[in-house]
Amino acid sequence: MYKTRFLLFLLMLYPFVAVSVAETAKTADTSETAKTVDTPDTPETANIVVGADRIDVIKGLVKRKRIGLIANQTSVLRDNTHLLDVLLQEGFNVIKIFAPEHGFRGTDDGGAMVKNNVDAETGLPVVSLYGDKFKPSDEHLADIDVIIFDIQDVGVRFFTYISTMHYAMEACAENGKEFILLDRPNPNDYIDGPVRKEGYRSFVGVDPIPVVYGLTVGELARMINGEGWISKGEKSCRLTVVPMLNWRHGEPYSLTVKPSPNLPNDRAIMLYPSLCLFEGTSISVGRGTRFPFQTLGYPDRKYGDFTFVPQSIKGMDANPIYRDKTCHGVDLREVEPERKISLAYLISFYEKSGRNEKAFFNRADWFDLLAGSDELRRQIIKGFSADEIQASWQDDLDDYKKIRRKYLIYPE
């Protein structure tokens, strides 16, 4: 894959670029006001400049404003300096930090509740958005003017950073605060999987989008705002997206920082859309190993010749399923993932289980929330082939693609 090399002089070569979206409620008038100033159409992957690297642009947007920052360990600039450190060095008035799943420094286990705390390095208060509440309260926003969001996403609906983004936008809309998003590339930049259905809304599926949705977080934020998905369409968010330079849809992109503790490399990130669905089953995805989301297994020899033993690993998973037990399955570390969701793994392991519905789908409700409805689970139980299942998604995906086109910032 291409490696990202951020060149300092690029920031001097390109003029101000921002996308500002101020949208009316989804009532009688559904028009969108969008401003794009000189978005360059010169994609060169090696020269990508992410939104966070455009400090001069950010400075013009938040000068003399009180800032709340939603960020984590991925919020770094080209020189690996954390965005918060740069903002403070530049004299920005950062009042507080908001932390998503895994915490502000990215050290909390997946699914573990994040507590309010104080950042040891800066002394700033850290408000958890993955604890008792997923959404900033009115009180949290009372002493700030703007939220800046800068987190590396992986382009998958059930990866919870985009859910945090949704609820923060909603809180800003309700409280009249600005929301500035610093855009980053999508490493799973394609469209596939079932669209989340009504009745299956959750923190792993807030918006009605496919499992893999083919947008940057900036483009997705524009969609959420433009389609009236926040506050039931009654309000819109004062949204500004600071776009990247030199990125286009479909370009390979290798992350320089782990987006979460259990996605340690490009292969895990690419397999994640296919393998995360197993978390609603009895099958281990390798949590508790050094290669999570690159293996599948269960404590029974019939599942395969490859073996692994999940163990407690601080900062990754303190108590993985089948801890200290030998799991048998498959090693996917040499697999070159395709740019599509593979259902072959699910169907194969369901067959290996003896088509034991209750034993395999032992967390059926969770599987359905990840999939976006109960349809995929029922199709597998009925013996549908992968091709038949994927064909059943196409009408919804075609409708989604029509919506998506309205919110694109980058060329395809």
PDB file of all heavy atoms in Angstrom, residues 376-390:
ATOM      1  N   LEU A 376     -30.142 -10.612   7.669  1.00  0.00           N
ATOM      2  CA  LEU A 376     -28.940 -11.360   7.330  1.00  0.00           C
ATOM      3  C   LEU A 376     -28.872 -12.661   8.137  1.00  0.00           C
ATOM      4  O   LEU A 376     -28.576 -13.731   7.576  1.00  0.00           O
ATOM      5  CB  LEU A 376     -27.694 -10.515   7.598  1.00  0.00           C
ATOM      6  CG  LEU A 376     -26.347 -11.216   7.402  1.00  0.00           C
ATOM      7  CD1 LEU A 376     -26.197 -11.760   5.986  1.00  0.00           C
ATOM      8  CD2 LEU A 376     -25.195 -10.254   7.731  1.00  0.00           C
ATOM      9  N   ARG A 377     -29.142 -12.599   9.400  1.00  0.00           N
ATOM     10  CA  ARG A 377     -29.117 -13.804  10.226  1.00  0.00           C
ATOM     11  C   ARG A 377     -30.124 -14.830   9.726  1.00  0.00           C
ATOM     12  O   ARG A 377     -29.814 -16.024   9.607  1.00  0.00           O
ATOM     13  CB  ARG A 377     -29.411 -13.440  11.686  1.00  0.00           C
ATOM     14  CG  ARG A 377     -29.473 -14.628  12.639  1.00  0.00           C
ATOM     15  CD  ARG A 377     -29.529 -14.167  14.096  1.00  0.00           C
ATOM     16  NE  ARG A 377     -30.630 -13.255  14.333  1.00  0.00           N
ATOM     17  CZ  ARG A 377     -31.883 -13.632  14.632  1.00  0.00           C
ATOM     18  NH1 ARG A 377     -32.187 -14.926  14.724  1.00  0.00           N
ATOM     19  NH2 ARG A 377     -32.821 -12.728  14.849  1.00  0.00           N
ATOM     20  N   ARG A 378     -31.309 -14.372   9.389  1.00  0.00           N
ATOM     21  CA  ARG A 378     -32.343 -15.293   8.913  1.00  0.00           C
ATOM     22  C   ARG A 378     -31.979 -15.888   7.554  1.00  0.00           C
ATOM     23  O   ARG A 378     -32.280 -17.059   7.268  1.00  0.00           O
ATOM     24  CB  ARG A 378     -33.695 -14.579   8.853  1.00  0.00           C
ATOM     25  CG  ARG A 378     -34.199 -14.157  10.233  1.00  0.00           C
ATOM     26  CD  ARG A 378     -35.583 -13.538  10.177  1.00  0.00           C
ATOM     27  NE  ARG A 378     -36.010 -13.095  11.492  1.00  0.00           N
ATOM     28  CZ  ARG A 378     -36.487 -13.903  12.450  1.00  0.00           C
ATOM     29  NH1 ARG A 378     -36.593 -15.213  12.218  1.00  0.00           N
ATOM     30  NH2 ARG A 378     -36.848 -13.422  13.622  1.00  0.00           N
ATOM     31  N   GLN A 379     -31.331 -15.109   6.714  1.00  0.00           N
ATOM     32  CA  GLN A 379     -30.900 -15.627   5.415  1.00  0.00           C
ATOM     33  C   GLN A 379     -29.851 -16.726   5.576  1.00  0.00           C
ATOM     34  O   GLN A 379     -29.891 -17.745   4.871  1.00  0.00           O
ATOM     35  CB  GLN A 379     -30.345 -14.482   4.557  1.00  0.00           C
ATOM     36  CG  GLN A 379     -31.416 -13.518   4.062  1.00  0.00           C
ATOM     37  CD  GLN A 379     -30.807 -12.294   3.397  1.00  0.00           C
ATOM     38  OE1 GLN A 379     -29.757 -11.792   3.820  1.00  0.00           O
ATOM     39  NE2 GLN A 379     -31.465 -11.789   2.359  1.00  0.00           N
ATOM     40  N   ILE A 380     -28.916 -16.522   6.479  1.00  0.00           N
ATOM     41  CA  ILE A 380     -27.888 -17.545   6.718  1.00  0.00           C
ATOM     42  C   ILE A 380     -28.529 -18.824   7.258  1.00  0.00           C
ATOM     43  O   ILE A 380     -28.202 -19.937   6.817  1.00  0.00           O
ATOM     44  CB  ILE A 380     -26.818 -17.008   7.685  1.00  0.00           C
ATOM     45  CG1 ILE A 380     -26.025 -15.883   7.012  1.00  0.00           C
ATOM     46  CG2 ILE A 380     -25.880 -18.126   8.134  1.00  0.00           C
ATOM     47  CD1 ILE A 380     -25.085 -15.146   7.940  1.00  0.00           C
ATOM     48  N   ILE A 381     -29.452 -18.674   8.187  1.00  0.00           N
ATOM     49  CA  ILE A 381     -30.136 -19.838   8.763  1.00  0.00           C
ATOM     50  C   ILE A 381     -30.915 -20.606   7.696  1.00  0.00           C
ATOM     51  O   ILE A 381     -30.940 -21.845   7.680  1.00  0.00           O
ATOM     52  CB  ILE A 381     -31.075 -19.394   9.908  1.00  0.00           C
ATOM     53  CG1 ILE A 381     -30.246 -18.887  11.097  1.00  0.00           C
ATOM     54  CG2 ILE A 381     -31.995 -20.530  10.349  1.00  0.00           C
ATOM     55  CD1 ILE A 381     -31.060 -18.168  12.153  1.00  0.00           C
ATOM     56  N   LYS A 382     -31.502 -19.880   6.755  1.00  0.00           N
ATOM     57  CA  LYS A 382     -32.293 -20.515   5.692  1.00  0.00           C
ATOM     58  C   LYS A 382     -31.428 -21.135   4.601  1.00  0.00           C
ATOM     59  O   LYS A 382     -31.941 -21.796   3.696  1.00  0.00           O
ATOM     60  CB  LYS A 382     -33.249 -19.492   5.074  1.00  0.00           C
ATOM     61  CG  LYS A 382     -34.382 -19.069   6.011  1.00  0.00           C
ATOM     62  CD  LYS A 382     -35.252 -18.002   5.355  1.00  0.00           C
ATOM     63  CE  LYS A 382     -36.376 -17.545   6.282  1.00  0.00           C
ATOM     64  NZ  LYS A 382     -37.193 -16.456   5.662  1.00  0.00           N
ATOM     65  N   GLY A 383     -30.124 -20.906   4.650  1.00  0.00           N
ATOM     66  CA  GLY A 383     -29.233 -21.526   3.677  1.00  0.00           C
ATOM     67  C   GLY A 383     -29.013 -20.723   2.415  1.00  0.00           C
ATOM     68  O   GLY A 383     -28.557 -21.276   1.403  1.00  0.00           O
ATOM     69  N   PHE A 384     -29.275 -19.411   2.436  1.00  0.00           N
ATOM     70  CA  PHE A 384     -29.016 -18.574   1.263  1.00  0.00           C
ATOM     71  C   PHE A 384     -27.518 -18.574   0.956  1.00  0.00           C
ATOM     72  O   PHE A 384     -26.675 -18.621   1.859  1.00  0.00           O
ATOM     73  CB  PHE A 384     -29.469 -17.138   1.514  1.00  0.00           C
ATOM     74  CG  PHE A 384     -30.952 -16.915   1.430  1.00  0.00           C
ATOM     75  CD1 PHE A 384     -31.862 -17.885   1.816  1.00  0.00           C
ATOM     76  CD2 PHE A 384     -31.447 -15.700   0.973  1.00  0.00           C
ATOM     77  CE1 PHE A 384     -33.224 -17.670   1.749  1.00  0.00           C
ATOM     78  CE2 PHE A 384     -32.810 -15.476   0.887  1.00  0.00           C
ATOM     79  CZ  PHE A 384     -33.705 -16.472   1.284  1.00  0.00           C
ATOM     80  N   SER A 385     -27.174 -18.503  -0.297  1.00  0.00           N
ATOM     81  CA  SER A 385     -25.773 -18.385  -0.697  1.00  0.00           C
ATOM     82  C   SER A 385     -25.312 -16.940  -0.509  1.00  0.00           C
ATOM     83  O   SER A 385     -26.124 -16.013  -0.392  1.00  0.00           O
ATOM     84  CB  SER A 385     -25.597 -18.782  -2.161  1.00  0.00           C
ATOM     85  OG  SER A 385     -26.195 -17.808  -3.014  1.00  0.00           O
ATOM     86  N   ALA A 386     -23.978 -16.751  -0.529  1.00  0.00           N
ATOM     87  CA  ALA A 386     -23.431 -15.402  -0.406  1.00  0.00           C
ATOM     88  C   ALA A 386     -23.935 -14.509  -1.539  1.00  0.00           C
ATOM     89  O   ALA A 386     -24.294 -13.341  -1.322  1.00  0.00           O
ATOM     90  CB  ALA A 386     -21.911 -15.459  -0.401  1.00  0.00           C
ATOM     91  N   ASP A 387     -23.970 -15.042  -2.754  1.00  0.00           N
ATOM     92  CA  ASP A 387     -24.440 -14.244  -3.896  1.00  0.00           C
ATOM     93  C   ASP A 387     -25.907 -13.843  -3.733  1.00  0.00           C
ATOM     94  O   ASP A 387     -26.290 -12.707  -4.051  1.00  0.00           O
ATOM     95  CB  ASP A 387     -24.263 -15.027  -5.197  1.00  0.00           C
ATOM     96  CG  ASP A 387     -22.809 -15.154  -5.608  1.00  0.00           C
ATOM     97  OD1 ASP A 387     -21.970 -14.387  -5.084  1.00  0.00           O
ATOM     98  OD2 ASP A 387     -22.502 -16.012  -6.459  1.00  0.00           O
ATOM     99  N   GLU A 388     -26.726 -14.749  -3.249  1.00  0.00           N
ATOM    100  CA  GLU A 388     -28.147 -14.439  -3.047  1.00  0.00           C
ATOM    101  C   GLU A 388     -28.326 -13.367  -1.977  1.00  0.00           C
ATOM    102  O   GLU A 388     -29.162 -12.464  -2.128  1.00  0.00           O
ATOM    103  CB  GLU A 388     -28.906 -15.705  -2.646  1.00  0.00           C
ATOM    104  CG  GLU A 388     -29.072 -16.718  -3.774  1.00  0.00           C
ATOM    105  CD  GLU A 388     -29.657 -18.039  -3.295  1.00  0.00           C
ATOM    106  OE1 GLU A 388     -29.364 -18.453  -2.156  1.00  0.00           O
ATOM    107  OE2 GLU A 388     -30.413 -18.655  -4.072  1.00  0.00           O
ATOM    108  N   ILE A 389     -27.557 -13.458  -0.921  1.00  0.00           N
ATOM    109  CA  ILE A 389     -27.673 -12.469   0.149  1.00  0.00           C
ATOM    110  C   ILE A 389     -27.227 -11.098  -0.342  1.00  0.00           C
ATOM    111  O   ILE A 389     -27.906 -10.089  -0.134  1.00  0.00           O
ATOM    112  CB  ILE A 389     -26.841 -12.905   1.369  1.00  0.00           C
ATOM    113  CG1 ILE A 389     -27.432 -14.178   1.989  1.00  0.00           C
ATOM    114  CG2 ILE A 389     -26.801 -11.796   2.414  1.00  0.00           C
ATOM    115  CD1 ILE A 389     -26.572 -14.803   3.071  1.00  0.00           C
ATOM    116  N   GLN A 390     -26.094 -11.059  -1.018  1.00  0.00           N
ATOM    117  CA  GLN A 390     -25.591  -9.770  -1.493  1.00  0.00           C
ATOM    118  C   GLN A 390     -26.515  -9.152  -2.538  1.00  0.00           C
ATOM    119  O   GLN A 390     -26.676  -7.927  -2.587  1.00  0.00           O
ATOM    120  CB  GLN A 390     -24.168  -9.941  -2.020  1.00  0.00           C
ATOM    121  CG  GLN A 390     -23.179 -10.183  -0.885  1.00  0.00           C
ATOM    122  CD  GLN A 390     -21.781 -10.511  -1.343  1.00  0.00           C
ATOM    123  OE1 GLN A 390     -21.590 -11.275  -2.293  1.00  0.00           O
ATOM    124  NE2 GLN A 390     -20.785  -9.964  -0.672  1.00  0.00           N
TER     125      GLN A 390
END
